[in-house]
Amino acid sequence: MSAFNWIEYLQLARHLEKNQPSGLSAAALRSVVSRAYYSAFHHAEKWIYGQGHPPYPRHGKHAAVIRDLKNKYYKNDASDQLKSLRILREQCDYDDNVFSLQKDAISSIHTSEFIINLLQ
């Protein structure tokens, strides 16, 4: 069994954004944001590991990746964008009301692509 390719989450996000199931558009758009975030997050995590960093413990991993991108690897743009995307993902996963869901879904895809391209 081979390792999961986290870019598939970004591909899924693109698909869901373009093909929202009837009656489930809010759920699909929230999933777009979530999948786009996790694609970028795991890409950033793997990039950091490629720099020789040891694996992170599960607890606090998301904040640590964002922090280390900025403070250890000086990838400020990637760190700032990932932090913004994380906040948006948390809103979509936990808040009852997200007011600009269509715009946020499209923006999350672009942000994820930006982070992934920056860390190639």
Side-chain angles (χ1 to χ4, degrees):
M1 176 180 233
S2 61
F4 181 67
N5 179 359
W6 296 101
I7 298 298
E8 288 183 25
Y9 271 171
L10 183 56
Q11 294 166 341
L12 177 61
R14 287 186 196 115
H15 176 78
L16 285 173
E17 192 276 320
K18 296 217 181 309
N19 305 291
Q20 297 165 34
S22 178
L24 296 173
S25 64
L29 292 172
R30 286 170 181 262
S31 295
V32 166
V33 173
S34 184
R35 297 306 90 194
Y37 168 74
Y38 280 108
S39 183
F41 167 76
H42 285 292
H43 186 83
E45 178 187 28
K46 301 298 181 204
W47 183 87
I48 289 172
Y49 293 162
Q51 308 307 304
H53 194 284
Y56 291 99
R58 230 180 245 279
H59 180 73
K61 182 189 291 196
H62 292 260
V65 166
I66 291 167
R67 180 193 65 235
D68 287 350
L69 279 173
K70 183 173 287 227
N71 296 337
K72 286 186 179 178
Y73 302 105
Y74 307 105
K75 296 292 187 178
N76 295 344
D77 288 344
S79 174
D80 293 344
Q81 293 297 313
L82 189 59
K83 183 177 181 180
S84 295
L85 192 54
R86 181 181 182 197
I87 291 167
L88 187 57
R89 194 267 309 161
E90 288 173 348
Q91 289 172 347
C92 287
D93 284 350
Y94 298 107
D95 294 354
D96 288 339
N97 297 307
V98 179
F99 297 103
S100 55
L101 205 44
Q102 181 73 44
K103 181 181 117 255
D104 292 342
I106 293 167
S107 171
S108 70
I109 290 170
H110 294 303
T111 301
S112 182
E113 290 169 341
F114 173 81
I115 295 164
I116 290 166
N117 287 331
L118 201 58
L119 298 176
Q120 290 294 352

